[in-house]
Amino acid sequence: MSGEESRTGSREPGRRLIIIAIDGPAGAGKSTIARRLARHFGLLNLETGAMYRAFALKALRAGLPLDDSLALERLAAETAIRLEPGDEENRVLLDGEDITGLIRNQTVTDAASRVSVFPAIRAWMVRLQQRLGASGGVVMEGRDIGTVVFPKADVKIFLDAAPEVRGQRRFDQLGQKGAPAVQPEEVIRDLRARDERDRNRADSPLRPAADAVLLDSTEMTLEEAVRAAQAIVEAKLKPSEPVS
Ligand code: DC
């Protein structure tokens, strides 16, 4: 499969070469928290969901049935996905085309969750992600970063929140980008369906790594969740007290 990936963003002197893995379901606040952690600790922020979304867009454009694993695998063999860290969101290039603005709609969101169940697609993505993060200095967010992509990550946070709260946050985000054409209940329903698929797929289902710190943001503002995540990272990176 095409292994082209890119990681731009020059490494500043003194940048720490740690890997922070942020996993969790949709709408738990992963993207915002990962972005803020990256800024705070001087790391690159890599959104792996954007890579599954890019591939899903390609499959949709090709008109492939999203349950045809062999056809998807063949398509992946001729696909190059590049992820470039940015201050706000990652820039995503699909076969050289900047598709950053085309992958957040409901059709691609749903398709990304569907294509990500296939082991061959996951193995390909995991390889790309491991290469992107190999030299460290990254916050990588997704569903399987702490369990599969970087099981030895320095810090693992599993971010969660009640489905109603996650759905409402997603609805509010849609509202900020223009009047949402859907009801909050619909957003919550779609989110539950995606949760169900992400948590129950046979290959690397969404679940916390045994050594992940769980952060439930149901009762928190996003700002509080960011601070809690920062505290988790700081506590993990603090040199342990010498034993006397
Ligand atoms: O994080 P996101 O909502 O952009 O992810 C879109 C879909 O991609 C998600 O429903 C499941 C899949 N995904 C995955 O299986 N593994 C990852 N590491 C990231 C995303």
Side-chain angles (χ1 to χ4, degrees), residues 23-27 30-31 47-50 52-53 103-104 108-110 112-114 116-117 122 129 141-145 149 170 194-195 197-198 201 204:
D23 290 301
K30 292 191 303 295
S31 300
E47 301 171 67
T48 59
Y52 287 94
R53 287 171 183 270
I103 54 173
R104 300 283 162 194
V108 174
T109 299
D110 184 63
S113 173
R114 288 176 191 278
S116 69
V117 303
R122 299 204 66 81
Q129 291 154 9
E141 57 121 327
R143 303 289 188 289
D144 59 344
I145 310 305
V149 181
R170 268 287 139 91
R194 195 144 69 97
D195 274 5
R197 205 178 301 122
D198 294 348
R201 63 180 175 228
S204 19

PDB file of all heavy atoms in Angstrom, residues 23-27 30-31 47-50 52-53 103-104 108-110 112-114 116-117 122 129 141-145 149 170 194-195 197-198 201 204, ligand 1:
ATOM      1  N   ASP A  23      -6.938   8.910  23.483  1.00  0.00           N
ATOM      2  CA  ASP A  23      -7.974   8.099  22.846  1.00  0.00           C
ATOM      3  C   ASP A  23      -9.319   8.385  23.485  1.00  0.00           C
ATOM      4  O   ASP A  23      -9.393   8.896  24.612  1.00  0.00           O
ATOM      5  CB  ASP A  23      -7.641   6.607  22.989  1.00  0.00           C
ATOM      6  CG  ASP A  23      -6.440   6.208  22.149  1.00  0.00           C
ATOM      7  OD1 ASP A  23      -6.500   6.398  20.917  1.00  0.00           O
ATOM      8  OD2 ASP A  23      -5.437   5.723  22.716  1.00  0.00           O
ATOM      9  N   GLY A  24     -10.369   8.015  22.777  1.00  0.00           N
ATOM     10  CA  GLY A  24     -11.705   8.175  23.340  1.00  0.00           C
ATOM     11  C   GLY A  24     -12.741   8.274  22.238  1.00  0.00           C
ATOM     12  O   GLY A  24     -12.393   8.377  21.057  1.00  0.00           O
ATOM     13  N   PRO A  25     -14.009   8.242  22.627  1.00  0.00           N
ATOM     14  CA  PRO A  25     -15.081   8.292  21.636  1.00  0.00           C
ATOM     15  C   PRO A  25     -15.261   9.690  21.051  1.00  0.00           C
ATOM     16  O   PRO A  25     -14.667  10.653  21.536  1.00  0.00           O
ATOM     17  CB  PRO A  25     -16.315   7.887  22.451  1.00  0.00           C
ATOM     18  CG  PRO A  25     -15.999   8.324  23.839  1.00  0.00           C
ATOM     19  CD  PRO A  25     -14.511   8.152  24.002  1.00  0.00           C
ATOM     20  N   ALA A  26     -16.105   9.766  20.033  1.00  0.00           N
ATOM     21  CA  ALA A  26     -16.376  11.045  19.370  1.00  0.00           C
ATOM     22  C   ALA A  26     -17.010  12.033  20.345  1.00  0.00           C
ATOM     23  O   ALA A  26     -17.832  11.654  21.183  1.00  0.00           O
ATOM     24  CB  ALA A  26     -17.326  10.806  18.200  1.00  0.00           C
ATOM     25  N   GLY A  27     -16.605  13.267  20.233  1.00  0.00           N
ATOM     26  CA  GLY A  27     -17.250  14.330  21.014  1.00  0.00           C
ATOM     27  C   GLY A  27     -16.779  14.425  22.458  1.00  0.00           C
ATOM     28  O   GLY A  27     -17.324  15.204  23.232  1.00  0.00           O
ATOM     29  N   LYS A  30     -11.414  15.312  22.445  1.00  0.00           N
ATOM     30  CA  LYS A  30     -10.033  14.902  22.122  1.00  0.00           C
ATOM     31  C   LYS A  30      -9.276  15.944  21.310  1.00  0.00           C
ATOM     32  O   LYS A  30      -8.145  16.278  21.631  1.00  0.00           O
ATOM     33  CB  LYS A  30     -10.021  13.595  21.309  1.00  0.00           C
ATOM     34  CG  LYS A  30     -10.478  12.373  22.040  1.00  0.00           C
ATOM     35  CD  LYS A  30     -10.164  11.120  21.228  1.00  0.00           C
ATOM     36  CE  LYS A  30     -10.765  11.084  19.835  1.00  0.00           C
ATOM     37  NZ  LYS A  30     -12.232  11.048  19.799  1.00  0.00           N
ATOM     38  N   SER A  31      -9.932  16.434  20.245  1.00  0.00           N
ATOM     39  CA  SER A  31      -9.203  17.327  19.327  1.00  0.00           C
ATOM     40  C   SER A  31      -8.760  18.595  20.030  1.00  0.00           C
ATOM     41  O   SER A  31      -7.605  19.008  19.925  1.00  0.00           O
ATOM     42  CB  SER A  31     -10.059  17.691  18.123  1.00  0.00           C
ATOM     43  OG  SER A  31     -10.399  16.524  17.456  1.00  0.00           O
ATOM     44  N   GLU A  47      -3.872  14.189  14.211  1.00  0.00           N
ATOM     45  CA  GLU A  47      -5.249  13.678  14.342  1.00  0.00           C
ATOM     46  C   GLU A  47      -5.420  12.466  13.436  1.00  0.00           C
ATOM     47  O   GLU A  47      -5.595  12.623  12.227  1.00  0.00           O
ATOM     48  CB  GLU A  47      -6.253  14.739  13.887  1.00  0.00           C
ATOM     49  CG  GLU A  47      -6.206  16.048  14.622  1.00  0.00           C
ATOM     50  CD  GLU A  47      -7.097  17.073  13.909  1.00  0.00           C
ATOM     51  OE1 GLU A  47      -8.318  16.913  13.895  1.00  0.00           O
ATOM     52  OE2 GLU A  47      -6.532  18.015  13.336  1.00  0.00           O
ATOM     53  N   THR A  48      -5.394  11.280  14.002  1.00  0.00           N
ATOM     54  CA  THR A  48      -5.452  10.092  13.145  1.00  0.00           C
ATOM     55  C   THR A  48      -6.832   9.887  12.523  1.00  0.00           C
ATOM     56  O   THR A  48      -6.946   9.289  11.469  1.00  0.00           O
ATOM     57  CB  THR A  48      -5.043   8.823  13.921  1.00  0.00           C
ATOM     58  OG1 THR A  48      -5.932   8.653  15.034  1.00  0.00           O
ATOM     59  CG2 THR A  48      -3.623   8.913  14.419  1.00  0.00           C
ATOM     60  N   GLY A  49      -7.872  10.400  13.177  1.00  0.00           N
ATOM     61  CA  GLY A  49      -9.223  10.276  12.602  1.00  0.00           C
ATOM     62  C   GLY A  49      -9.296  10.933  11.235  1.00  0.00           C
ATOM     63  O   GLY A  49     -10.021  10.459  10.343  1.00  0.00           O
ATOM     64  N   ALA A  50      -8.522  11.989  11.038  1.00  0.00           N
ATOM     65  CA  ALA A  50      -8.535  12.695   9.747  1.00  0.00           C
ATOM     66  C   ALA A  50      -8.021  11.787   8.631  1.00  0.00           C
ATOM     67  O   ALA A  50      -8.424  11.919   7.474  1.00  0.00           O
ATOM     68  CB  ALA A  50      -7.689  13.959   9.842  1.00  0.00           C
ATOM     69  N   TYR A  52      -8.438   8.409   8.502  1.00  0.00           N
ATOM     70  CA  TYR A  52      -9.551   7.503   8.144  1.00  0.00           C
ATOM     71  C   TYR A  52     -10.610   8.270   7.350  1.00  0.00           C
ATOM     72  O   TYR A  52     -11.212   7.740   6.416  1.00  0.00           O
ATOM     73  CB  TYR A  52     -10.170   6.892   9.408  1.00  0.00           C
ATOM     74  CG  TYR A  52      -9.294   5.841  10.048  1.00  0.00           C
ATOM     75  CD1 TYR A  52      -8.409   6.178  11.069  1.00  0.00           C
ATOM     76  CD2 TYR A  52      -9.326   4.516   9.624  1.00  0.00           C
ATOM     77  CE1 TYR A  52      -7.581   5.221  11.657  1.00  0.00           C
ATOM     78  CE2 TYR A  52      -8.511   3.556  10.205  1.00  0.00           C
ATOM     79  CZ  TYR A  52      -7.638   3.908  11.223  1.00  0.00           C
ATOM     80  OH  TYR A  52      -6.827   2.961  11.789  1.00  0.00           O
ATOM     81  N   ARG A  53     -10.815   9.521   7.725  1.00  0.00           N
ATOM     82  CA  ARG A  53     -11.792  10.344   6.999  1.00  0.00           C
ATOM     83  C   ARG A  53     -11.344  10.570   5.552  1.00  0.00           C
ATOM     84  O   ARG A  53     -12.148  10.533   4.626  1.00  0.00           O
ATOM     85  CB  ARG A  53     -11.965  11.691   7.712  1.00  0.00           C
ATOM     86  CG  ARG A  53     -12.746  11.588   9.013  1.00  0.00           C
ATOM     87  CD  ARG A  53     -12.707  12.893   9.803  1.00  0.00           C
ATOM     88  NE  ARG A  53     -13.395  12.758  11.061  1.00  0.00           N
ATOM     89  CZ  ARG A  53     -14.703  13.015  11.233  1.00  0.00           C
ATOM     90  NH1 ARG A  53     -15.432  13.458  10.231  1.00  0.00           N
ATOM     91  NH2 ARG A  53     -15.259  12.843  12.409  1.00  0.00           N
ATOM     92  N   ILE A 103     -13.932  16.856   4.946  1.00  0.00           N
ATOM     93  CA  ILE A 103     -14.024  15.555   5.629  1.00  0.00           C
ATOM     94  C   ILE A 103     -14.791  15.587   6.954  1.00  0.00           C
ATOM     95  O   ILE A 103     -14.792  14.606   7.683  1.00  0.00           O
ATOM     96  CB  ILE A 103     -12.618  14.953   5.875  1.00  0.00           C
ATOM     97  CG1 ILE A 103     -11.718  15.951   6.622  1.00  0.00           C
ATOM     98  CG2 ILE A 103     -11.980  14.520   4.570  1.00  0.00           C
ATOM     99  CD1 ILE A 103     -10.379  15.360   7.046  1.00  0.00           C
ATOM    100  N   ARG A 104     -15.427  16.718   7.261  1.00  0.00           N
ATOM    101  CA  ARG A 104     -16.095  16.800   8.570  1.00  0.00           C
ATOM    102  C   ARG A 104     -17.607  16.657   8.470  1.00  0.00           C
ATOM    103  O   ARG A 104     -18.299  16.775   9.483  1.00  0.00           O
ATOM    104  CB  ARG A 104     -15.742  18.121   9.272  1.00  0.00           C
ATOM    105  CG  ARG A 104     -14.253  18.308   9.529  1.00  0.00           C
ATOM    106  CD  ARG A 104     -13.758  17.479  10.708  1.00  0.00           C
ATOM    107  NE  ARG A 104     -12.311  17.326  10.677  1.00  0.00           N
ATOM    108  CZ  ARG A 104     -11.643  16.455  11.396  1.00  0.00           C
ATOM    109  NH1 ARG A 104     -12.254  15.637  12.225  1.00  0.00           N
ATOM    110  NH2 ARG A 104     -10.335  16.368  11.314  1.00  0.00           N
ATOM    111  N   VAL A 108     -19.117  11.704   5.399  1.00  0.00           N
ATOM    112  CA  VAL A 108     -17.731  11.226   5.533  1.00  0.00           C
ATOM    113  C   VAL A 108     -17.499  10.686   6.948  1.00  0.00           C
ATOM    114  O   VAL A 108     -16.817   9.670   7.140  1.00  0.00           O
ATOM    115  CB  VAL A 108     -16.724  12.358   5.190  1.00  0.00           C
ATOM    116  CG1 VAL A 108     -15.296  11.919   5.472  1.00  0.00           C
ATOM    117  CG2 VAL A 108     -16.874  12.783   3.734  1.00  0.00           C
ATOM    118  N   THR A 109     -18.110  11.338   7.938  1.00  0.00           N
ATOM    119  CA  THR A 109     -17.965  10.891   9.333  1.00  0.00           C
ATOM    120  C   THR A 109     -18.436   9.448   9.468  1.00  0.00           C
ATOM    121  O   THR A 109     -17.753   8.587  10.043  1.00  0.00           O
ATOM    122  CB  THR A 109     -18.798  11.807  10.255  1.00  0.00           C
ATOM    123  OG1 THR A 109     -18.296  13.134  10.129  1.00  0.00           O
ATOM    124  CG2 THR A 109     -18.718  11.378  11.712  1.00  0.00           C
ATOM    125  N   ASP A 110     -19.608   9.166   8.921  1.00  0.00           N
ATOM    126  CA  ASP A 110     -20.183   7.836   8.995  1.00  0.00           C
ATOM    127  C   ASP A 110     -19.322   6.836   8.197  1.00  0.00           C
ATOM    128  O   ASP A 110     -19.024   5.729   8.675  1.00  0.00           O
ATOM    129  CB  ASP A 110     -21.615   7.905   8.429  1.00  0.00           C
ATOM    130  CG  ASP A 110     -22.306   6.584   8.557  1.00  0.00           C
ATOM    131  OD1 ASP A 110     -22.505   6.145   9.704  1.00  0.00           O
ATOM    132  OD2 ASP A 110     -22.624   5.966   7.509  1.00  0.00           O
ATOM    133  N   ALA A 112     -16.155   7.022   7.522  1.00  0.00           N
ATOM    134  CA  ALA A 112     -14.848   6.789   8.164  1.00  0.00           C
ATOM    135  C   ALA A 112     -14.977   5.691   9.210  1.00  0.00           C
ATOM    136  O   ALA A 112     -14.119   4.809   9.339  1.00  0.00           O
ATOM    137  CB  ALA A 112     -14.355   8.081   8.807  1.00  0.00           C
ATOM    138  N   SER A 113     -16.069   5.731   9.954  1.00  0.00           N
ATOM    139  CA  SER A 113     -16.288   4.711  10.970  1.00  0.00           C
ATOM    140  C   SER A 113     -16.484   3.337  10.318  1.00  0.00           C
ATOM    141  O   SER A 113     -16.049   2.317  10.848  1.00  0.00           O
ATOM    142  CB  SER A 113     -17.493   5.127  11.814  1.00  0.00           C
ATOM    143  OG  SER A 113     -17.860   4.120  12.696  1.00  0.00           O
ATOM    144  N   ARG A 114     -17.093   3.314   9.135  1.00  0.00           N
ATOM    145  CA  ARG A 114     -17.339   2.028   8.455  1.00  0.00           C
ATOM    146  C   ARG A 114     -16.059   1.431   7.867  1.00  0.00           C
ATOM    147  O   ARG A 114     -15.792   0.238   8.007  1.00  0.00           O
ATOM    148  CB  ARG A 114     -18.370   2.207   7.336  1.00  0.00           C
ATOM    149  CG  ARG A 114     -19.755   2.433   7.860  1.00  0.00           C
ATOM    150  CD  ARG A 114     -20.762   2.716   6.756  1.00  0.00           C
ATOM    151  NE  ARG A 114     -21.996   3.173   7.352  1.00  0.00           N
ATOM    152  CZ  ARG A 114     -22.928   2.367   7.860  1.00  0.00           C
ATOM    153  NH1 ARG A 114     -22.769   1.072   7.804  1.00  0.00           N
ATOM    154  NH2 ARG A 114     -24.003   2.871   8.420  1.00  0.00           N
ATOM    155  N   SER A 116     -13.114   1.916   8.791  1.00  0.00           N
ATOM    156  CA  SER A 116     -12.072   1.665   9.795  1.00  0.00           C
ATOM    157  C   SER A 116     -12.244   0.322  10.502  1.00  0.00           C
ATOM    158  O   SER A 116     -11.432  -0.025  11.353  1.00  0.00           O
ATOM    159  CB  SER A 116     -12.043   2.796  10.825  1.00  0.00           C
ATOM    160  OG  SER A 116     -13.201   2.766  11.624  1.00  0.00           O
ATOM    161  N   VAL A 117     -13.282  -0.452  10.150  1.00  0.00           N
ATOM    162  CA  VAL A 117     -13.434  -1.761  10.817  1.00  0.00           C
ATOM    163  C   VAL A 117     -12.529  -2.826  10.182  1.00  0.00           C
ATOM    164  O   VAL A 117     -12.285  -3.862  10.782  1.00  0.00           O
ATOM    165  CB  VAL A 117     -14.907  -2.288  10.802  1.00  0.00           C
ATOM    166  CG1 VAL A 117     -15.838  -1.291  11.448  1.00  0.00           C
ATOM    167  CG2 VAL A 117     -15.366  -2.646   9.407  1.00  0.00           C
ATOM    168  N   ARG A 122      -6.802  -0.891   8.719  1.00  0.00           N
ATOM    169  CA  ARG A 122      -6.227  -0.458  10.001  1.00  0.00           C
ATOM    170  C   ARG A 122      -4.706  -0.685  10.007  1.00  0.00           C
ATOM    171  O   ARG A 122      -3.951   0.162  10.455  1.00  0.00           O
ATOM    172  CB  ARG A 122      -6.861  -1.209  11.176  1.00  0.00           C
ATOM    173  CG  ARG A 122      -8.361  -1.011  11.319  1.00  0.00           C
ATOM    174  CD  ARG A 122      -8.815  -1.263  12.745  1.00  0.00           C
ATOM    175  NE  ARG A 122      -8.267  -0.261  13.638  1.00  0.00           N
ATOM    176  CZ  ARG A 122      -8.781   0.952  13.792  1.00  0.00           C
ATOM    177  NH1 ARG A 122      -9.863   1.313  13.138  1.00  0.00           N
ATOM    178  NH2 ARG A 122      -8.212   1.811  14.612  1.00  0.00           N
ATOM    179  N   GLN A 129       0.865   5.876  10.805  1.00  0.00           N
ATOM    180  CA  GLN A 129       0.851   6.659  12.049  1.00  0.00           C
ATOM    181  C   GLN A 129       2.118   6.408  12.862  1.00  0.00           C
ATOM    182  O   GLN A 129       2.681   7.332  13.457  1.00  0.00           O
ATOM    183  CB  GLN A 129      -0.420   6.329  12.846  1.00  0.00           C
ATOM    184  CG  GLN A 129      -1.666   6.851  12.153  1.00  0.00           C
ATOM    185  CD  GLN A 129      -2.928   6.086  12.494  1.00  0.00           C
ATOM    186  OE1 GLN A 129      -2.939   5.252  13.388  1.00  0.00           O
ATOM    187  NE2 GLN A 129      -4.006   6.369  11.785  1.00  0.00           N
ATOM    188  N   GLU A 141      -3.900  11.712  18.559  1.00  0.00           N
ATOM    189  CA  GLU A 141      -5.235  11.374  19.073  1.00  0.00           C
ATOM    190  C   GLU A 141      -5.988  10.465  18.122  1.00  0.00           C
ATOM    191  O   GLU A 141      -5.811  10.546  16.913  1.00  0.00           O
ATOM    192  CB  GLU A 141      -6.026  12.638  19.396  1.00  0.00           C
ATOM    193  CG  GLU A 141      -6.199  13.597  18.249  1.00  0.00           C
ATOM    194  CD  GLU A 141      -7.638  13.871  17.912  1.00  0.00           C
ATOM    195  OE1 GLU A 141      -8.484  12.968  18.074  1.00  0.00           O
ATOM    196  OE2 GLU A 141      -7.914  14.992  17.458  1.00  0.00           O
ATOM    197  N   GLY A 142      -6.805   9.574  18.710  1.00  0.00           N
ATOM    198  CA  GLY A 142      -7.569   8.637  17.901  1.00  0.00           C
ATOM    199  C   GLY A 142      -8.380   7.688  18.754  1.00  0.00           C
ATOM    200  O   GLY A 142      -9.000   8.098  19.743  1.00  0.00           O
ATOM    201  N   ARG A 143      -8.372   6.413  18.361  1.00  0.00           N
ATOM    202  CA  ARG A 143      -9.139   5.409  19.099  1.00  0.00           C
ATOM    203  C   ARG A 143      -8.249   4.300  19.649  1.00  0.00           C
ATOM    204  O   ARG A 143      -8.609   3.634  20.603  1.00  0.00           O
ATOM    205  CB  ARG A 143     -10.186   4.743  18.180  1.00  0.00           C
ATOM    206  CG  ARG A 143     -11.171   5.677  17.515  1.00  0.00           C
ATOM    207  CD  ARG A 143     -12.152   6.234  18.520  1.00  0.00           C
ATOM    208  NE  ARG A 143     -13.225   6.993  17.881  1.00  0.00           N
ATOM    209  CZ  ARG A 143     -13.098   8.178  17.304  1.00  0.00           C
ATOM    210  NH1 ARG A 143     -11.929   8.764  17.286  1.00  0.00           N
ATOM    211  NH2 ARG A 143     -14.128   8.794  16.749  1.00  0.00           N
ATOM    212  N   ASP A 144      -7.107   4.088  18.967  1.00  0.00           N
ATOM    213  CA  ASP A 144      -6.246   2.935  19.291  1.00  0.00           C
ATOM    214  C   ASP A 144      -4.794   3.359  19.464  1.00  0.00           C
ATOM    215  O   ASP A 144      -3.892   2.555  19.256  1.00  0.00           O
ATOM    216  CB  ASP A 144      -6.333   1.902  18.152  1.00  0.00           C
ATOM    217  CG  ASP A 144      -5.901   2.487  16.805  1.00  0.00           C
ATOM    218  OD1 ASP A 144      -5.827   3.740  16.700  1.00  0.00           O
ATOM    219  OD2 ASP A 144      -5.637   1.713  15.868  1.00  0.00           O
ATOM    220  N   ILE A 145      -4.559   4.611  19.805  1.00  0.00           N
ATOM    221  CA  ILE A 145      -3.167   5.075  19.868  1.00  0.00           C
ATOM    222  C   ILE A 145      -2.448   4.419  21.055  1.00  0.00           C
ATOM    223  O   ILE A 145      -1.354   3.880  20.904  1.00  0.00           O
ATOM    224  CB  ILE A 145      -3.089   6.622  19.960  1.00  0.00           C
ATOM    225  CG1 ILE A 145      -3.963   7.272  18.867  1.00  0.00           C
ATOM    226  CG2 ILE A 145      -1.631   7.095  19.863  1.00  0.00           C
ATOM    227  CD1 ILE A 145      -3.664   6.848  17.465  1.00  0.00           C
ATOM    228  N   VAL A 149      -1.159   1.678  18.282  1.00  0.00           N
ATOM    229  CA  VAL A 149      -0.192   2.471  17.500  1.00  0.00           C
ATOM    230  C   VAL A 149       1.071   2.729  18.327  1.00  0.00           C
ATOM    231  O   VAL A 149       2.179   2.450  17.884  1.00  0.00           O
ATOM    232  CB  VAL A 149      -0.823   3.800  17.009  1.00  0.00           C
ATOM    233  CG1 VAL A 149       0.178   4.603  16.174  1.00  0.00           C
ATOM    234  CG2 VAL A 149      -2.085   3.522  16.179  1.00  0.00           C
ATOM    235  N   ARG A 170     -21.172  18.283  20.085  1.00  0.00           N
ATOM    236  CA  ARG A 170     -21.064  18.185  18.629  1.00  0.00           C
ATOM    237  C   ARG A 170     -22.087  19.107  17.967  1.00  0.00           C
ATOM    238  O   ARG A 170     -21.804  19.797  17.004  1.00  0.00           O
ATOM    239  CB  ARG A 170     -21.336  16.746  18.166  1.00  0.00           C
ATOM    240  CG  ARG A 170     -20.116  15.894  18.041  1.00  0.00           C
ATOM    241  CD  ARG A 170     -19.319  16.311  16.814  1.00  0.00           C
ATOM    242  NE  ARG A 170     -17.864  16.320  17.078  1.00  0.00           N
ATOM    243  CZ  ARG A 170     -17.070  15.273  16.876  1.00  0.00           C
ATOM    244  NH1 ARG A 170     -17.562  14.162  16.403  1.00  0.00           N
ATOM    245  NH2 ARG A 170     -15.788  15.356  17.125  1.00  0.00           N
ATOM    246  N   ARG A 194     -22.126   5.423  15.974  1.00  0.00           N
ATOM    247  CA  ARG A 194     -20.690   5.381  15.687  1.00  0.00           C
ATOM    248  C   ARG A 194     -19.930   4.792  16.874  1.00  0.00           C
ATOM    249  O   ARG A 194     -19.041   3.960  16.690  1.00  0.00           O
ATOM    250  CB  ARG A 194     -20.204   6.804  15.389  1.00  0.00           C
ATOM    251  CG  ARG A 194     -18.856   6.862  14.738  1.00  0.00           C
ATOM    252  CD  ARG A 194     -18.774   7.980  13.745  1.00  0.00           C
ATOM    253  NE  ARG A 194     -18.786   9.290  14.363  1.00  0.00           N
ATOM    254  CZ  ARG A 194     -17.702  10.004  14.629  1.00  0.00           C
ATOM    255  NH1 ARG A 194     -16.502   9.508  14.385  1.00  0.00           N
ATOM    256  NH2 ARG A 194     -17.791  11.208  15.139  1.00  0.00           N
ATOM    257  N   ASP A 195     -20.308   5.182  18.085  1.00  0.00           N
ATOM    258  CA  ASP A 195     -19.708   4.600  19.301  1.00  0.00           C
ATOM    259  C   ASP A 195     -19.806   3.086  19.269  1.00  0.00           C
ATOM    260  O   ASP A 195     -18.851   2.365  19.530  1.00  0.00           O
ATOM    261  CB  ASP A 195     -20.529   5.002  20.537  1.00  0.00           C
ATOM    262  CG  ASP A 195     -20.109   6.341  21.092  1.00  0.00           C
ATOM    263  OD1 ASP A 195     -19.259   7.010  20.481  1.00  0.00           O
ATOM    264  OD2 ASP A 195     -20.660   6.722  22.151  1.00  0.00           O
ATOM    265  N   ARG A 197     -20.209   1.065  16.785  1.00  0.00           N
ATOM    266  CA  ARG A 197     -19.346   0.435  15.779  1.00  0.00           C
ATOM    267  C   ARG A 197     -17.879   0.501  16.225  1.00  0.00           C
ATOM    268  O   ARG A 197     -17.146  -0.476  16.140  1.00  0.00           O
ATOM    269  CB  ARG A 197     -19.535   1.152  14.444  1.00  0.00           C
ATOM    270  CG  ARG A 197     -19.209   0.293  13.258  1.00  0.00           C
ATOM    271  CD  ARG A 197     -19.450   1.006  11.934  1.00  0.00           C
ATOM    272  NE  ARG A 197     -20.808   1.450  11.749  1.00  0.00           N
ATOM    273  CZ  ARG A 197     -21.161   2.730  11.532  1.00  0.00           C
ATOM    274  NH1 ARG A 197     -20.248   3.676  11.508  1.00  0.00           N
ATOM    275  NH2 ARG A 197     -22.411   3.055  11.351  1.00  0.00           N
ATOM    276  N   ASP A 198     -17.441   1.673  16.707  1.00  0.00           N
ATOM    277  CA  ASP A 198     -16.031   1.839  17.095  1.00  0.00           C
ATOM    278  C   ASP A 198     -15.666   0.949  18.283  1.00  0.00           C
ATOM    279  O   ASP A 198     -14.556   0.447  18.393  1.00  0.00           O
ATOM    280  CB  ASP A 198     -15.733   3.308  17.440  1.00  0.00           C
ATOM    281  CG  ASP A 198     -15.843   4.243  16.234  1.00  0.00           C
ATOM    282  OD1 ASP A 198     -15.928   3.748  15.098  1.00  0.00           O
ATOM    283  OD2 ASP A 198     -15.865   5.481  16.434  1.00  0.00           O
ATOM    284  N   ARG A 201     -16.025  -3.261  17.058  1.00  0.00           N
ATOM    285  CA  ARG A 201     -15.364  -3.918  15.921  1.00  0.00           C
ATOM    286  C   ARG A 201     -14.364  -4.937  16.473  1.00  0.00           C
ATOM    287  O   ARG A 201     -13.823  -4.765  17.577  1.00  0.00           O
ATOM    288  CB  ARG A 201     -14.687  -2.884  15.019  1.00  0.00           C
ATOM    289  CG  ARG A 201     -13.585  -2.135  15.701  1.00  0.00           C
ATOM    290  CD  ARG A 201     -12.928  -1.116  14.776  1.00  0.00           C
ATOM    291  NE  ARG A 201     -11.970  -0.363  15.546  1.00  0.00           N
ATOM    292  CZ  ARG A 201     -11.856   0.956  15.568  1.00  0.00           C
ATOM    293  NH1 ARG A 201     -12.648   1.691  14.820  1.00  0.00           N
ATOM    294  NH2 ARG A 201     -10.952   1.543  16.300  1.00  0.00           N
ATOM    295  N   SER A 204      -8.927  -4.054  16.980  1.00  0.00           N
ATOM    296  CA  SER A 204      -8.637  -2.881  17.810  1.00  0.00           C
ATOM    297  C   SER A 204      -9.840  -2.001  18.124  1.00  0.00           C
ATOM    298  O   SER A 204      -9.892  -0.850  17.707  1.00  0.00           O
ATOM    299  CB  SER A 204      -7.495  -2.032  17.238  1.00  0.00           C
ATOM    300  OG  SER A 204      -7.226  -2.248  15.902  1.00  0.00           O
TER     301      SER A 204
HETATM  302  O1   DC B   1     -11.719  10.977  15.503  1.00  0.00           O
HETATM  303  P1   DC B   1     -12.650  11.049  14.324  1.00  0.00           P
HETATM  304  O2   DC B   1     -14.068  11.304  14.726  1.00  0.00           O
HETATM  305  O3   DC B   1     -12.183  12.042  13.294  1.00  0.00           O
HETATM  306  O4   DC B   1     -12.577   9.592  13.643  1.00  0.00           O
HETATM  307  C1   DC B   1     -13.380   9.213  12.557  1.00  0.00           C
HETATM  308  C2   DC B   1     -13.530   7.694  12.532  1.00  0.00           C
HETATM  309  O5   DC B   1     -12.283   7.096  12.256  1.00  0.00           O
HETATM  310  C3   DC B   1     -13.994   7.074  13.850  1.00  0.00           C
HETATM  311  O6   DC B   1     -15.414   6.901  13.878  1.00  0.00           O
HETATM  312  C4   DC B   1     -13.300   5.753  13.918  1.00  0.00           C
HETATM  313  C5   DC B   1     -12.095   5.907  13.018  1.00  0.00           C
HETATM  314  N1   DC B   1     -10.838   5.993  13.759  1.00  0.00           N
HETATM  315  C6   DC B   1     -10.252   4.821  14.141  1.00  0.00           C
HETATM  316  O7   DC B   1     -10.835   3.746  13.942  1.00  0.00           O
HETATM  317  N2   DC B   1      -9.039   4.829  14.746  1.00  0.00           N
HETATM  318  C7   DC B   1      -8.407   5.984  14.992  1.00  0.00           C
HETATM  319  N3   DC B   1      -7.198   5.967  15.572  1.00  0.00           N
HETATM  320  C8   DC B   1      -9.016   7.217  14.634  1.00  0.00           C
HETATM  321  C9   DC B   1     -10.251   7.180  14.027  1.00  0.00           C
END
